Amino acid sequence: DAKTTQPPSMDCAEGRAANLPCNHSTISGNEYVYWYRQIHSQGPQYIIHGLKNNETNEMASLIITEDRKSSTLILPHATLRDTAVYYCIVSLDSGGGADGLTFGKGTHLIIQP
Amino acid sequence: NAGVTQTPKFRILKIGQSMTLQCAQDMNHNYMYWYRQDPGMGLKLIYYSVGAGITDKGEVPNGYNVSRSTTEDFPLRLELAAPSQTSVYFCASTRQGRNGYTFGSGTRLTVV
């Protein structure tokens, strides 16, 4: 699986959009981009994933650049409960990886009141 | 649905003791995983299973064993606990072709 690079930490004001970047310059054509988050002491939570097209669900939007070398997770109206570590992961399997996803250190997003 | 259930939530072991961390899912997922997470670090894969009777090693399998006799259960066994196994353990499951993993709430293990 391709490696990903994320900033270690970010701040965002409550009510504003939080934009979390991820670089995956070595991604191959059939690899998916996944985003998970982990609120302190809890198990990680699946957010969204995509292959080429931008995706949106009730939690977030995922914007993937045309060359697929980077992506941005957007939380449209951040709340204090969105404070968490966010993981960007690249995986071949559309189901998330039969042989397991590789979690890096992620981005610690802090929502400021 | 309960999702992924892990027991116990907390445990303190003495060096050399053994224990089994339990993981059960009620979503009919065929894929199951065990991860460990050390303080300030990402998750590392210990073992995984793609179906009943099939298990395989992940990145950090030493000191652990697993079995998968049913679709629902995926226990993790520590035979001779060592301080290096102090960590938070997460179990996860998914179904092939579905969206993402479902994680349990974790087991905090301290070996003293």
Side-chain angles (χ1 to χ4, degrees), chain A residues 27-49:
Chain A
I27 193 170
S28 61
N30 53 353
E31 287 185 307
Y32 292 78
V33 179
Y34 280 83
W35 283 85
Y36 284 76
R37 73 179 183 183
Q38 186 175 24
I39 297 170
H40 181 63
S41 300
Q42 298 180 20
Q45 177 189 23
Y46 164 80
I47 301 173
I48 198 168
H49 77 285

PDB file of all heavy atoms in Angstrom, chain A residues 27-49:
ATOM      1  N   ILE A  27       0.520   6.720  -4.785  1.00  0.00           N
ATOM      2  CA  ILE A  27      -0.699   5.916  -4.912  1.00  0.00           C
ATOM      3  C   ILE A  27      -0.791   5.313  -6.299  1.00  0.00           C
ATOM      4  O   ILE A  27      -0.447   5.953  -7.306  1.00  0.00           O
ATOM      5  CB  ILE A  27      -1.940   6.767  -4.572  1.00  0.00           C
ATOM      6  CG1 ILE A  27      -3.174   5.890  -4.396  1.00  0.00           C
ATOM      7  CG2 ILE A  27      -2.165   7.843  -5.642  1.00  0.00           C
ATOM      8  CD1 ILE A  27      -4.379   6.652  -3.828  1.00  0.00           C
ATOM      9  N   SER A  28      -1.257   4.070  -6.376  1.00  0.00           N
ATOM     10  CA  SER A  28      -1.424   3.426  -7.676  1.00  0.00           C
ATOM     11  C   SER A  28      -2.883   3.554  -8.119  1.00  0.00           C
ATOM     12  O   SER A  28      -3.756   3.922  -7.339  1.00  0.00           O
ATOM     13  CB  SER A  28      -1.013   1.958  -7.603  1.00  0.00           C
ATOM     14  OG  SER A  28      -1.825   1.261  -6.683  1.00  0.00           O
ATOM     15  N   GLY A  29      -3.125   3.234  -9.390  1.00  0.00           N
ATOM     16  CA  GLY A  29      -4.417   3.512  -9.982  1.00  0.00           C
ATOM     17  C   GLY A  29      -5.607   2.811  -9.350  1.00  0.00           C
ATOM     18  O   GLY A  29      -6.730   3.291  -9.441  1.00  0.00           O
ATOM     19  N   ASN A  30      -5.367   1.677  -8.702  1.00  0.00           N
ATOM     20  CA  ASN A  30      -6.474   0.922  -8.131  1.00  0.00           C
ATOM     21  C   ASN A  30      -6.506   0.975  -6.608  1.00  0.00           C
ATOM     22  O   ASN A  30      -7.144   0.140  -5.966  1.00  0.00           O
ATOM     23  CB  ASN A  30      -6.410  -0.531  -8.597  1.00  0.00           C
ATOM     24  CG  ASN A  30      -5.061  -1.156  -8.326  1.00  0.00           C
ATOM     25  OD1 ASN A  30      -4.124  -0.465  -7.912  1.00  0.00           O
ATOM     26  ND2 ASN A  30      -4.938  -2.438  -8.543  1.00  0.00           N
ATOM     27  N   GLU A  31      -5.804   1.926  -6.020  1.00  0.00           N
ATOM     28  CA  GLU A  31      -5.812   2.081  -4.563  1.00  0.00           C
ATOM     29  C   GLU A  31      -6.829   3.133  -4.129  1.00  0.00           C
ATOM     30  O   GLU A  31      -6.958   4.188  -4.756  1.00  0.00           O
ATOM     31  CB  GLU A  31      -4.423   2.455  -4.046  1.00  0.00           C
ATOM     32  CG  GLU A  31      -3.437   1.291  -4.088  1.00  0.00           C
ATOM     33  CD  GLU A  31      -2.098   1.646  -3.470  1.00  0.00           C
ATOM     34  OE1 GLU A  31      -1.495   2.659  -3.867  1.00  0.00           O
ATOM     35  OE2 GLU A  31      -1.650   0.890  -2.581  1.00  0.00           O
ATOM     36  N   TYR A  32      -7.536   2.814  -3.046  1.00  0.00           N
ATOM     37  CA  TYR A  32      -8.538   3.701  -2.484  1.00  0.00           C
ATOM     38  C   TYR A  32      -7.916   4.569  -1.394  1.00  0.00           C
ATOM     39  O   TYR A  32      -6.969   4.155  -0.717  1.00  0.00           O
ATOM     40  CB  TYR A  32      -9.683   2.895  -1.872  1.00  0.00           C
ATOM     41  CG  TYR A  32     -10.529   2.155  -2.873  1.00  0.00           C
ATOM     42  CD1 TYR A  32     -10.097   0.958  -3.436  1.00  0.00           C
ATOM     43  CD2 TYR A  32     -11.773   2.637  -3.246  1.00  0.00           C
ATOM     44  CE1 TYR A  32     -10.865   0.277  -4.359  1.00  0.00           C
ATOM     45  CE2 TYR A  32     -12.566   1.959  -4.155  1.00  0.00           C
ATOM     46  CZ  TYR A  32     -12.104   0.780  -4.707  1.00  0.00           C
ATOM     47  OH  TYR A  32     -12.883   0.111  -5.616  1.00  0.00           O
ATOM     48  N   VAL A  33      -8.509   5.732  -1.167  1.00  0.00           N
ATOM     49  CA  VAL A  33      -8.139   6.592  -0.048  1.00  0.00           C
ATOM     50  C   VAL A  33      -9.227   6.480   1.011  1.00  0.00           C
ATOM     51  O   VAL A  33     -10.410   6.701   0.726  1.00  0.00           O
ATOM     52  CB  VAL A  33      -7.997   8.062  -0.482  1.00  0.00           C
ATOM     53  CG1 VAL A  33      -7.627   8.929   0.740  1.00  0.00           C
ATOM     54  CG2 VAL A  33      -6.961   8.203  -1.575  1.00  0.00           C
ATOM     55  N   TYR A  34      -8.822   6.113   2.222  1.00  0.00           N
ATOM     56  CA  TYR A  34      -9.732   5.973   3.354  1.00  0.00           C
ATOM     57  C   TYR A  34      -9.401   7.013   4.425  1.00  0.00           C
ATOM     58  O   TYR A  34      -8.241   7.363   4.616  1.00  0.00           O
ATOM     59  CB  TYR A  34      -9.572   4.596   4.011  1.00  0.00           C
ATOM     60  CG  TYR A  34     -10.287   3.492   3.304  1.00  0.00           C
ATOM     61  CD1 TYR A  34      -9.707   2.862   2.202  1.00  0.00           C
ATOM     62  CD2 TYR A  34     -11.537   3.069   3.728  1.00  0.00           C
ATOM     63  CE1 TYR A  34     -10.377   1.843   1.536  1.00  0.00           C
ATOM     64  CE2 TYR A  34     -12.213   2.054   3.077  1.00  0.00           C
ATOM     65  CZ  TYR A  34     -11.618   1.451   1.976  1.00  0.00           C
ATOM     66  OH  TYR A  34     -12.298   0.442   1.330  1.00  0.00           O
ATOM     67  N   TRP A  35     -10.440   7.459   5.116  1.00  0.00           N
ATOM     68  CA  TRP A  35     -10.255   8.321   6.286  1.00  0.00           C
ATOM     69  C   TRP A  35     -10.980   7.708   7.480  1.00  0.00           C
ATOM     70  O   TRP A  35     -12.159   7.297   7.379  1.00  0.00           O
ATOM     71  CB  TRP A  35     -10.785   9.731   6.025  1.00  0.00           C
ATOM     72  CG  TRP A  35      -9.881  10.556   5.170  1.00  0.00           C
ATOM     73  CD1 TRP A  35      -9.829  10.575   3.802  1.00  0.00           C
ATOM     74  CD2 TRP A  35      -8.903  11.490   5.628  1.00  0.00           C
ATOM     75  NE1 TRP A  35      -8.876  11.472   3.385  1.00  0.00           N
ATOM     76  CE2 TRP A  35      -8.296  12.041   4.474  1.00  0.00           C
ATOM     77  CE3 TRP A  35      -8.481  11.932   6.890  1.00  0.00           C
ATOM     78  CZ2 TRP A  35      -7.282  13.010   4.554  1.00  0.00           C
ATOM     79  CZ3 TRP A  35      -7.486  12.891   6.953  1.00  0.00           C
ATOM     80  CH2 TRP A  35      -6.899  13.412   5.796  1.00  0.00           C
ATOM     81  N   TYR A  36     -10.239   7.670   8.591  1.00  0.00           N
ATOM     82  CA  TYR A  36     -10.781   7.247   9.875  1.00  0.00           C
ATOM     83  C   TYR A  36     -10.452   8.331  10.894  1.00  0.00           C
ATOM     84  O   TYR A  36      -9.544   9.127  10.703  1.00  0.00           O
ATOM     85  CB  TYR A  36     -10.128   5.948  10.361  1.00  0.00           C
ATOM     86  CG  TYR A  36     -10.606   4.704   9.673  1.00  0.00           C
ATOM     87  CD1 TYR A  36     -10.180   4.389   8.397  1.00  0.00           C
ATOM     88  CD2 TYR A  36     -11.470   3.826  10.319  1.00  0.00           C
ATOM     89  CE1 TYR A  36     -10.620   3.239   7.764  1.00  0.00           C
ATOM     90  CE2 TYR A  36     -11.912   2.671   9.699  1.00  0.00           C
ATOM     91  CZ  TYR A  36     -11.481   2.391   8.425  1.00  0.00           C
ATOM     92  OH  TYR A  36     -11.923   1.238   7.804  1.00  0.00           O
ATOM     93  N   ARG A  37     -11.187   8.326  12.005  1.00  0.00           N
ATOM     94  CA  ARG A  37     -10.808   9.200  13.106  1.00  0.00           C
ATOM     95  C   ARG A  37     -10.887   8.427  14.414  1.00  0.00           C
ATOM     96  O   ARG A  37     -11.627   7.442  14.527  1.00  0.00           O
ATOM     97  CB  ARG A  37     -11.676  10.442  13.174  1.00  0.00           C
ATOM     98  CG  ARG A  37     -13.103  10.227  13.675  1.00  0.00           C
ATOM     99  CD  ARG A  37     -13.829  11.551  13.716  1.00  0.00           C
ATOM    100  NE  ARG A  37     -15.175  11.422  14.242  1.00  0.00           N
ATOM    101  CZ  ARG A  37     -16.021  12.439  14.325  1.00  0.00           C
ATOM    102  NH1 ARG A  37     -15.670  13.654  13.908  1.00  0.00           N
ATOM    103  NH2 ARG A  37     -17.232  12.246  14.819  1.00  0.00           N
ATOM    104  N   GLN A  38     -10.108   8.893  15.394  1.00  0.00           N
ATOM    105  CA  GLN A  38     -10.068   8.259  16.691  1.00  0.00           C
ATOM    106  C   GLN A  38     -10.191   9.322  17.766  1.00  0.00           C
ATOM    107  O   GLN A  38      -9.269  10.130  17.949  1.00  0.00           O
ATOM    108  CB  GLN A  38      -8.772   7.463  16.875  1.00  0.00           C
ATOM    109  CG  GLN A  38      -8.747   6.657  18.160  1.00  0.00           C
ATOM    110  CD  GLN A  38      -7.506   5.789  18.267  1.00  0.00           C
ATOM    111  OE1 GLN A  38      -6.473   6.063  17.666  1.00  0.00           O
ATOM    112  NE2 GLN A  38      -7.597   4.715  19.027  1.00  0.00           N
ATOM    113  N   ILE A  39     -11.335   9.322  18.413  1.00  0.00           N
ATOM    114  CA  ILE A  39     -11.560  10.218  19.542  1.00  0.00           C
ATOM    115  C   ILE A  39     -10.883   9.587  20.750  1.00  0.00           C
ATOM    116  O   ILE A  39     -10.866   8.367  20.895  1.00  0.00           O
ATOM    117  CB  ILE A  39     -13.061  10.443  19.765  1.00  0.00           C
ATOM    118  CG1 ILE A  39     -13.640  11.139  18.532  1.00  0.00           C
ATOM    119  CG2 ILE A  39     -13.344  11.245  21.023  1.00  0.00           C
ATOM    120  CD1 ILE A  39     -15.146  11.219  18.480  1.00  0.00           C
ATOM    121  N   HIS A  40     -10.331  10.416  21.597  1.00  0.00           N
ATOM    122  CA  HIS A  40      -9.474   9.965  22.696  1.00  0.00           C
ATOM    123  C   HIS A  40      -9.993   8.708  23.385  1.00  0.00           C
ATOM    124  O   HIS A  40     -11.129   8.644  23.834  1.00  0.00           O
ATOM    125  CB  HIS A  40      -9.344  11.095  23.725  1.00  0.00           C
ATOM    126  CG  HIS A  40      -8.461  10.744  24.878  1.00  0.00           C
ATOM    127  ND1 HIS A  40      -7.113  10.459  24.719  1.00  0.00           N
ATOM    128  CD2 HIS A  40      -8.718  10.591  26.194  1.00  0.00           C
ATOM    129  CE1 HIS A  40      -6.601  10.170  25.899  1.00  0.00           C
ATOM    130  NE2 HIS A  40      -7.534  10.241  26.811  1.00  0.00           N
ATOM    131  N   SER A  41      -9.103   7.684  23.424  1.00  0.00           N
ATOM    132  CA  SER A  41      -9.338   6.430  24.133  1.00  0.00           C
ATOM    133  C   SER A  41     -10.377   5.522  23.489  1.00  0.00           C
ATOM    134  O   SER A  41     -10.644   4.445  24.011  1.00  0.00           O
ATOM    135  CB  SER A  41      -9.773   6.687  25.583  1.00  0.00           C
ATOM    136  OG  SER A  41      -8.795   7.386  26.275  1.00  0.00           O
ATOM    137  N   GLN A  42     -10.967   5.934  22.373  1.00  0.00           N
ATOM    138  CA  GLN A  42     -11.963   5.085  21.721  1.00  0.00           C
ATOM    139  C   GLN A  42     -11.354   4.354  20.534  1.00  0.00           C
ATOM    140  O   GLN A  42     -10.256   4.685  20.083  1.00  0.00           O
ATOM    141  CB  GLN A  42     -13.150   5.934  21.259  1.00  0.00           C
ATOM    142  CG  GLN A  42     -13.892   6.638  22.381  1.00  0.00           C
ATOM    143  CD  GLN A  42     -15.049   7.448  21.872  1.00  0.00           C
ATOM    144  OE1 GLN A  42     -15.549   7.227  20.760  1.00  0.00           O
ATOM    145  NE2 GLN A  42     -15.509   8.398  22.667  1.00  0.00           N
ATOM    146  N   GLY A  43     -12.081   3.380  20.001  1.00  0.00           N
ATOM    147  CA  GLY A  43     -11.654   2.710  18.791  1.00  0.00           C
ATOM    148  C   GLY A  43     -11.829   3.630  17.589  1.00  0.00           C
ATOM    149  O   GLY A  43     -12.700   4.500  17.589  1.00  0.00           O
ATOM    150  N   PRO A  44     -10.999   3.483  16.559  1.00  0.00           N
ATOM    151  CA  PRO A  44     -11.159   4.314  15.368  1.00  0.00           C
ATOM    152  C   PRO A  44     -12.536   4.155  14.738  1.00  0.00           C
ATOM    153  O   PRO A  44     -13.180   3.106  14.862  1.00  0.00           O
ATOM    154  CB  PRO A  44     -10.058   3.788  14.434  1.00  0.00           C
ATOM    155  CG  PRO A  44      -9.033   3.204  15.344  1.00  0.00           C
ATOM    156  CD  PRO A  44      -9.820   2.612  16.475  1.00  0.00           C
ATOM    157  N   GLN A  45     -12.968   5.213  14.057  1.00  0.00           N
ATOM    158  CA  GLN A  45     -14.281   5.258  13.413  1.00  0.00           C
ATOM    159  C   GLN A  45     -14.106   5.546  11.939  1.00  0.00           C
ATOM    160  O   GLN A  45     -13.418   6.510  11.569  1.00  0.00           O
ATOM    161  CB  GLN A  45     -15.131   6.352  14.071  1.00  0.00           C
ATOM    162  CG  GLN A  45     -16.496   6.566  13.458  1.00  0.00           C
ATOM    163  CD  GLN A  45     -17.190   7.797  14.011  1.00  0.00           C
ATOM    164  OE1 GLN A  45     -16.550   8.717  14.518  1.00  0.00           O
ATOM    165  NE2 GLN A  45     -18.504   7.827  13.935  1.00  0.00           N
ATOM    166  N   TYR A  46     -14.706   4.737  11.098  1.00  0.00           N
ATOM    167  CA  TYR A  46     -14.662   4.972   9.653  1.00  0.00           C
ATOM    168  C   TYR A  46     -15.408   6.256   9.316  1.00  0.00           C
ATOM    169  O   TYR A  46     -16.497   6.516   9.855  1.00  0.00           O
ATOM    170  CB  TYR A  46     -15.296   3.790   8.922  1.00  0.00           C
ATOM    171  CG  TYR A  46     -15.655   4.050   7.479  1.00  0.00           C
ATOM    172  CD1 TYR A  46     -14.677   4.000   6.487  1.00  0.00           C
ATOM    173  CD2 TYR A  46     -16.954   4.354   7.116  1.00  0.00           C
ATOM    174  CE1 TYR A  46     -15.005   4.247   5.162  1.00  0.00           C
ATOM    175  CE2 TYR A  46     -17.296   4.588   5.798  1.00  0.00           C
ATOM    176  CZ  TYR A  46     -16.323   4.530   4.818  1.00  0.00           C
ATOM    177  OH  TYR A  46     -16.646   4.781   3.514  1.00  0.00           O
ATOM    178  N   ILE A  47     -14.815   7.090   8.414  1.00  0.00           N
ATOM    179  CA  ILE A  47     -15.483   8.324   8.003  1.00  0.00           C
ATOM    180  C   ILE A  47     -15.965   8.223   6.557  1.00  0.00           C
ATOM    181  O   ILE A  47     -17.147   8.359   6.263  1.00  0.00           O
ATOM    182  CB  ILE A  47     -14.545   9.539   8.145  1.00  0.00           C
ATOM    183  CG1 ILE A  47     -14.069   9.692   9.585  1.00  0.00           C
ATOM    184  CG2 ILE A  47     -15.259  10.811   7.680  1.00  0.00           C
ATOM    185  CD1 ILE A  47     -13.008  10.774   9.767  1.00  0.00           C
ATOM    186  N   ILE A  48     -15.027   7.976   5.643  1.00  0.00           N
ATOM    187  CA  ILE A  48     -15.356   8.054   4.231  1.00  0.00           C
ATOM    188  C   ILE A  48     -14.224   7.440   3.424  1.00  0.00           C
ATOM    189  O   ILE A  48     -13.107   7.285   3.938  1.00  0.00           O
ATOM    190  CB  ILE A  48     -15.575   9.537   3.829  1.00  0.00           C
ATOM    191  CG1 ILE A  48     -16.338   9.678   2.512  1.00  0.00           C
ATOM    192  CG2 ILE A  48     -14.245  10.296   3.792  1.00  0.00           C
ATOM    193  CD1 ILE A  48     -16.823  11.106   2.253  1.00  0.00           C
ATOM    194  N   HIS A  49     -14.487   7.034   2.195  1.00  0.00           N
ATOM    195  CA  HIS A  49     -13.414   6.604   1.323  1.00  0.00           C
ATOM    196  C   HIS A  49     -13.763   6.941  -0.125  1.00  0.00           C
ATOM    197  O   HIS A  49     -14.930   7.199  -0.454  1.00  0.00           O
ATOM    198  CB  HIS A  49     -13.112   5.111   1.484  1.00  0.00           C
ATOM    199  CG  HIS A  49     -14.094   4.191   0.823  1.00  0.00           C
ATOM    200  ND1 HIS A  49     -15.354   3.947   1.341  1.00  0.00           N
ATOM    201  CD2 HIS A  49     -13.991   3.449  -0.304  1.00  0.00           C
ATOM    202  CE1 HIS A  49     -15.983   3.089   0.561  1.00  0.00           C
ATOM    203  NE2 HIS A  49     -15.194   2.769  -0.451  1.00  0.00           N
TER     204      HIS A  49
END
